[in-house]
């Protein structure tokens, strides 16, 4: 029980306690924790209780994240006890601000951004669309989590507009490429894992060290221009079709809030090499995709073939180190059913089957003015909410 009353319309309860960066009224960007529809001013609370507020006065979470798992756990315990015990009320209540009065900012200073491809259903759908005569999964897929390096500098916080990219496009029937705004702008429903504690160059980080390095999770929309991607990606992978924008939720949910939502990953298709074969957990989280307020799919993260701990181990197995603020995406989350597909590429089968988006409208890919919202909730007994990531498509600046 808590003395804190959660409003029905609040985005969070008292169990999640996610971290973000807020500013105002009259305050510079700094660290806050969301509870219900309020933001806890951590620097103020720490100052008033005689603790050092320095890491919470920062405009990103990085300084706090670098402090490590024991500090993360202590901070969470302190907030939990202040919320549950009547004596904590005097300590915490003066430092609550209504969320509607503050502005939210990018929560982390993103170090490196990597995106994986960990859903078997997504990878098989993409294989069937682009390589109809070949095996849906490439030979390497069942042996390692495949990924690419994205662009850290264009990761933006929820509510940022996304400007339609332009670039080179060439379809099979065109004799030569043409230049213009993307006509196949897509979303990808994903989760993004946030690294708190870095590692040493040359020292791979094993699967078992996941909880020592990874702080938490955000909802991630990996905006993708399919027509630009299709022409550029052979032989070196995604580049300008992805690097124009990646949106993440404003609140980072700590792993501790997902302790009751862990699941076994699906059965292995083949024996994995030893560094990936160590048991680790997936997370039972559903991500709902809405276009202009109409739900088009619900994507089951619990079916992802590779766990976030395996992705972390693979990312460092060559000796590349982790850094505070590294962000790695899960890859598009799709399930086996059509209504579980996490991209319009799959939902519209590369534009061949328009989908219903409500109010007598259909879509193959995104149009200017479309608003995409991803919302996520864990399926454990506590049903932790991860919040949302929202973005609206704006026309090319030159069109
Ligand atoms: Mn992606």
């Amino acid at each position: 029980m808590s003395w804190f009353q959660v409003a029905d319309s609040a985005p969070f309860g008292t169990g999640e306690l996610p971290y973000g960066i807020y500013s105002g009224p009259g305050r510079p960007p700094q660290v806050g924790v969301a509870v219900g529809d309020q933001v806890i001013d951590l620097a103020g609370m720490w100052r008033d209780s005689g603790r050092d507020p320095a890491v919470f006065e920062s405009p990103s979470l990085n300084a706090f994240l670098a402090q490590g798992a024991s500090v993360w756990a202590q901070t969470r315990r302190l907030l939990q006890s202040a919320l549950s015990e009547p004596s904590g009320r005097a300590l915490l209540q003066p430092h609550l601000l209504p969320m509607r009065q503050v502005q939210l900012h990018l929560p982390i200073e993103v170090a490196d951004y990597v995106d994986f491809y960990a859903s078997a259903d997504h990878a098989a759908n993409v294989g069937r669309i682009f390589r109809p005569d070949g095996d849906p999964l490439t030979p390497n897929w069942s042996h390692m989590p495949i990924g690419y390096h994205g662009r850290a500098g264009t990761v933006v916080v929820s509510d940022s507009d996304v400007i339609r990219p332009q670039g080179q496009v060439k379809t099979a029937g065109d004799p030569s490429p043409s230049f213009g705004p993307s006509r196949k702008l897509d979303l990808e429903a994903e989760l993004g894992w946030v690294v708190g504690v870095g590692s040493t160059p040359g020292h791979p980080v094993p699967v078992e060290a996941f909880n020592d390095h990874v702080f938490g999770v955000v909802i991630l929309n990996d905006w993708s221009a399919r027509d630009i991607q299709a022409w550029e990606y052979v032989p070196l992978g995604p580049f300008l079709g992805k690097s124009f924008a990646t949106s993440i939720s404003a609140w980072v949910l700590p792993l501790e809030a997902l302790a009751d939502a862990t699941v076994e990953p699906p059965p292995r298709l083949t024996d994995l090499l030893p560094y990936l074969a160590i048991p680790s957990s997936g997370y039972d989280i559903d991500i709902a995709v809405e276009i202009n307020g109409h739900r088009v799919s619900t994507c089951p993260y619990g079916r992802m073939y590779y766990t976030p701990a395996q992705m972390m181990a693979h990312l460092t197995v060559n000796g590349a180190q982790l850094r505070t603020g590294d962000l790695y995406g899960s890859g598009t989350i799709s399930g086996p059913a059509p209504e579980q597909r996490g991209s319009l590429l799959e939902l519209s089968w590369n534009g061949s089957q328009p989908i219903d988006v409500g109010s007598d409208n259909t879509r193959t890919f995104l149009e200017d003015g479309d608003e995409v919202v991803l919302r996520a909730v864990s399926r454990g007994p506590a049903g932790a909410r991860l919040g949302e990531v929202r973005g609206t498509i704006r026309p090319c600046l030159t069109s």
Side-chain angles (χ1 to χ4, degrees):
M1 276 304 290
S2 176
W3 54 264
F4 184 91
Q5 295 297 308
V6 177
D8 287 343
S9 59
F12 297 102
T14 55
E16 294 95 348
L17 301 176
Y19 290 75
I21 296 294
Y22 76 97
S23 65
R27 301 175 187 207
Q30 56 190 286
V31 176
V33 163
V35 59
D37 57 2
Q38 307 283 305
V39 177
I40 305 169
D41 163 20
L42 285 182
M45 189 177 160
W46 256 237
R47 214 177 286 122
D48 273 6
S49 55
R51 297 179 175 86
D52 182 359
V55 294
F56 300 132
E57 290 169 336
S58 168
S60 90
L61 295 178
N62 291 40
F64 171 64
L65 300 192
Q67 291 198 311
S70 64
V71 173
W72 309 338
Q74 274 169 25
T75 306
R76 185 172 166 85
R77 273 200 304 273
L78 198 142
L79 294 173
Q80 284 170 327
S81 71
L83 280 164
S84 60
E85 290 160 24
S87 61
R89 186 171 189 158
L91 174 67
L92 195 150
Q93 202 162 35
H95 303 291
L96 290 173
L97 293 156
M99 210 180 279
R100 62 183 151 72
Q101 288 182 11
V102 305
Q103 195 189 341
L104 298 174
H105 302 266
L106 190 65
I108 50 172
E109 190 182 330
V110 182
D112 281 297
Y113 166 51
V114 167
D115 196 27
F116 284 97
Y117 196 52
S119 158
D121 295 298
H122 172 68
N125 283 336
V126 172
R128 287 186 196 106
I129 290 169
F130 287 122
R131 298 181 304 276
D133 302 324
D135 283 337
L137 295 178
T138 53
N140 53 4
W141 194 89
S142 56
H143 294 277
M144 62 180 173
I146 294 172
Y148 68 93
H149 273 273
R151 189 168 182 86
T154 51
V155 175
V156 296
V157 69
S158 178
D159 270 327
S160 303
D161 284 347
V162 173
I163 296 169
R164 180 178 298 274
Q166 49 186 349
Q168 283 200 26
V169 170
K170 182 186 172 304
T171 62
D174 297 334
S176 56
S178 59
F179 185 87
S182 170
R183 302 264 57 98
K184 288 190 171 182
L185 184 54
D186 199 354
L187 61 97
E188 288 189 343
E190 304 193 15
L191 295 179
W193 302 91
V194 176
V195 173
V197 175
S199 64
T200 310
H203 294 257
V205 183
V207 163
E208 305 95 301
F210 177 66
N211 288 279
D212 297 330
H213 289 274
V214 172
F215 170 74
V217 62
V218 289
I219 313 167
L220 185 149
N221 187 342
D222 177 25
W223 305 99
S224 301
R226 301 300 181 192
D227 39 6
I228 297 173
Q229 184 185 357
W231 169 228
E232 74 178 359
Y233 87 106
V234 178
L236 288 186
F239 187 41
L240 301 177
K242 299 276 194 175
S243 64
F244 54 96
T246 307
S247 298
I248 63 171
S249 49
W251 297 104
V252 185
L253 187 73
L255 290 184
E256 289 170 284
L258 292 172
D260 69 350
T262 57
V263 287
E264 285 272 304
R268 304 294 87 183
L269 299 167
T270 185
D271 286 343
L272 290 169
L273 287 168
Y275 77 95
L276 290 172
I278 296 152
S280 60
S281 295
Y283 289 93
D284 204 1
I285 295 169
D286 279 342
I287 296 91
V289 181
E290 282 180 15
I291 297 175
N292 300 332
H294 184 84
R295 184 176 293 204
V296 297
S297 63
T298 304
C299 311
Y301 186 79
R303 288 182 52 87
M304 294 300 261
Y305 189 77
Y306 291 107
T307 68
Q310 287 174 312
M311 296 193 290
M312 178 202 69
H314 188 63
L315 176 54
T316 61
V317 76
N318 64 348
Q321 81 270 34
L322 297 173
R323 293 192 296 167
T324 299
D326 280 352
L327 172 70
Y328 61 96
S330 58
T332 306
I333 304 160
S334 292
E339 66 276 11
Q340 295 178 315
R341 293 172 179 165
S343 67
L344 288 171
L345 174 71
E346 295 160 271
L347 285 162
S348 76
W349 213 252
N350 199 18
S352 65
Q353 298 165 17
I355 60 157
D356 176 24
V357 292
S359 312
D360 291 329
N361 287 314
T362 61
R363 287 289 181 279
T364 51
F365 292 97
L366 296 169
E367 296 187 2
D368 293 342
D370 281 351
E371 183 187 56
V372 177
V373 182
L374 311 180
R375 287 195 180 84
V377 181
S378 81
R379 291 162 59 91
R385 289 178 267 188
L386 284 77
E388 64 174 37
V389 58
R390 184 181 289 266
T392 301
I393 306 302
R394 300 298 176 198
C396 277
L397 297 180
T398 53
S399 59

